[in-house]
Amino acid sequence: MDVDTGTDDAVAIMAAALSPDIELLGITTVNGNCPVEICTENTLRVVDHIGVNVPVYQGCSLPLSATLTPGRKPNIPSIEPSKIHGHYLDLPAASSAKQDVTAAEWLIRTYLESDGDISLVPVGPLTNVAMAIRQAPKILDKIPEIVIMGGGHHVANCTSSAEFNIWVDPEAARVVMNCGRPIRLVTLDATHEALFTMETCDALKEIGTPAAVCAAAFAEVRIAAYDKAQPMGSVGSAPIHDALAVCAIIKPEVVSTVYAHVDVETTGELTDGRTVVDIDRSGDRGRRPANVHVALHADEGLFVEMMLDILSNEM
Ligand code: BDR
Ligand code: CA
C-alpha cells in the first residue's frame, strides 16, 4: 500500500493488515493529507496500535513538478490541518520506526525481486509510484494490477473538477494512468456510495477490538467534518474512501466498473488534476483505447459488512 495517512488511510491500513485474504508486504508513505513525515508517523502509530509487523518506508515530500509553477499549487498541500484528518492521528506516539530505504527504492527492489504477484494499492497522491516507474520502468512487467483510490467522474472534492489524490500530483497520476498495466480506479463516485453512518460506528464499538474501536473513532471525526463541510445524502454519514479500495482487492464485486480510457488534466486552468474518463464512446474522433477499469458505483451493504467482519480480527 502507498498511503498519506489520514483518517481513512488509517482504516484502510487496518483492513489490509487484518484481512485474512491479504498479505500486506509493506507500506510506503507520501505527502498528501499531511506532510510526509506526519503521514509516516501516523502510519507507524496505526500499525503499532493493532500490533502488526509491517515495514513502513517514507517517500516523497512534494509532488513531482506541480509546485514549480508559481501560483499553481501550495508547496505542502495540507500545511493547515484539515477537519477530516487533522495532522497527528489521535493514537499514542509510534514506538516502531520507519525503514532506512525510501519508498521508491523499496517498491523497485520488491517488484524486481518478485514473481509478479504483488498488487499495488496507492490511496494517496501518486508521486512515489510515478517515481518508481520512471526510475525503473522494468518494474511494470512485475506489477499485475494497480488498485488506486483517486479521481472522479461526476464527483469532485478538491476543486470543482478534481479529486484530492489526483489534484495534488497530476503529473504523477498521468504517468501511472498511462503506464500500460491493468488499473482499477476507485473513484469518488464509488466511495460516496459506500458510507459509514453513526450506526456503523456503534456496531464497531460493540465489536470492541482495537481496530474496530479505532475505526469508529476516526469515522466519527470524518462524519462530523463531512456533515459540516461536504454533506452526503443523509446527515451522520461519511465515506471511508481508501478502505473501499482495499475491499475491492478482496471482493471485486464491492464496486462496479466500466472499462474506459482515462487520462489526467495537467494544464487546465479550471480542470487541473481532473481524471478525464471517456465513458460515452458515441463519437469517433480522437478516441483512445480503454486503459482503466473505473469504479463508479459501490455496494454499501457489502462494504460495511466486510469492514465489520475484517475489523473484528486481532493480531
Ligand atoms: C482521498 O483524499 C484523501 O484525503 C483521502 O485519504 C483519500 O485518499 C479522497 O479524495
Ligand atoms: Ca489517502
Side-chain angles (χ1 to χ4, degrees):
M1 290 184 76
D2 185 74
V3 300
D4 60 332
T5 318
T7 48
D8 61 325
D9 305 73
V11 179
I13 290 166
M14 293 192 288
L18 293 171
S19 167
D21 297 308
I22 291 179
E23 184 189 356
L24 182 58
L25 294 184
I27 306 175
T28 53
T29 65
V30 67
N31 164 67
N33 288 322
C34 311
V36 71
E37 295 79 11
I38 299 180
C39 293
T40 303
E41 165 67 17
N42 283 342
T43 304
L44 293 166
R45 286 183 184 194
V46 172
V47 298
D48 285 356
H49 177 68
I50 56 168
V52 71
N53 189 15
V54 183
V56 175
Y57 303 85
Q58 185 163 294
C60 295
S61 58
L62 283 173
L64 293 186
S65 61
T67 54
L68 299 178
T69 308
R72 184 177 172 211
K73 308 263 175 200
N75 256 357
I76 308 269
S78 313
I79 201 134
E80 290 297 327
S82 81
K83 295 265 183 312
I84 297 174
H85 301 283
H87 263 172
Y88 288 98
L89 291 178
D90 188 13
L91 286 172
S95 53
S96 60
K98 69 179 164 73
Q99 304 295 308
D100 284 339
V101 295
T102 67
E105 280 177 280
W106 179 74
L107 286 170
I108 292 167
R109 194 184 67 207
T110 303
Y111 274 105
L112 291 180
E113 289 174 358
S114 78
D115 292 330
D117 56 355
I118 305 170
S119 298
L120 181 57
V121 187
V123 296
L126 289 157
T127 320
N128 291 336
V129 180
M131 284 284 285
I133 291 172
R134 280 290 194 252
Q135 205 175 322
K138 272 185 178 310
I139 64 170
L140 290 171
D141 299 339
K142 296 287 192 82
I143 303 179
E145 187 184 24
I146 309 177
V147 180
I148 299 167
M149 190 282 128
H153 188 57
H154 296 294
V155 187
N157 66 356
C158 193
T159 66
S160 55
S161 275
E163 180 278 332
F164 179 79
N165 288 341
I166 308 297
W167 178 85
V168 170
D169 195 342
E171 281 76 11
R174 199 157 199 209
V175 168
V176 177
M177 232 54 85
N178 287 292
C179 77
R181 300 305 298 155
I183 293 177
R184 259 187 296 164
L185 188 67
V186 178
T187 67
L188 290 176
D189 300 59
T191 65
H192 283 205
E193 290 185 359
L195 308 178
F196 272 21
T197 62
M198 291 309 283
E199 288 71 41
T200 320
C201 297
D202 290 343
L204 286 165
K205 283 187 256 183
E206 181 76 18
I207 288 169
T209 57
V213 173
C214 177
F218 292 156
E220 284 177 354
V221 170
R222 297 180 64 79
I223 289 170
Y226 271 88
D227 275 356
K228 211 162 173 199
Q230 250 188 90
M232 299 286 110
S234 57
V235 179
S237 59
I240 317 286
H241 310 283
D242 299 345
L244 186 63
V246 169
C247 286
I249 298 263
I250 302 165
K251 285 194 180 172
E253 66 270 28
V254 75
V255 293
S256 48
T257 59
V258 295
Y259 194 38
H261 188 271
V262 177
D263 209 331
V264 178
E265 180 58 74
T266 56
T267 56
E269 182 191 344
L270 304 176
T271 53
D272 194 15
R274 178 174 179 79
T275 44
V276 180
V277 185
D278 188 7
I279 284 185
D280 175 11
R281 298 184 62 79
S282 52
D284 61 1
R285 277 184 296 174
R287 288 288 148 97
R288 289 180 291 168
N291 58 341
V292 174
H293 296 272
V294 188
L296 295 175
H297 296 286
D299 181 337
E300 182 176 86
L302 179 58
F303 172 62
V304 171
E305 183 189 310
M306 289 177 74
M307 292 300 291
L308 294 178
D309 183 38
I310 296 167
L311 295 172
S312 67
N313 294 323
E314 292 185 67
M315 292 307 294

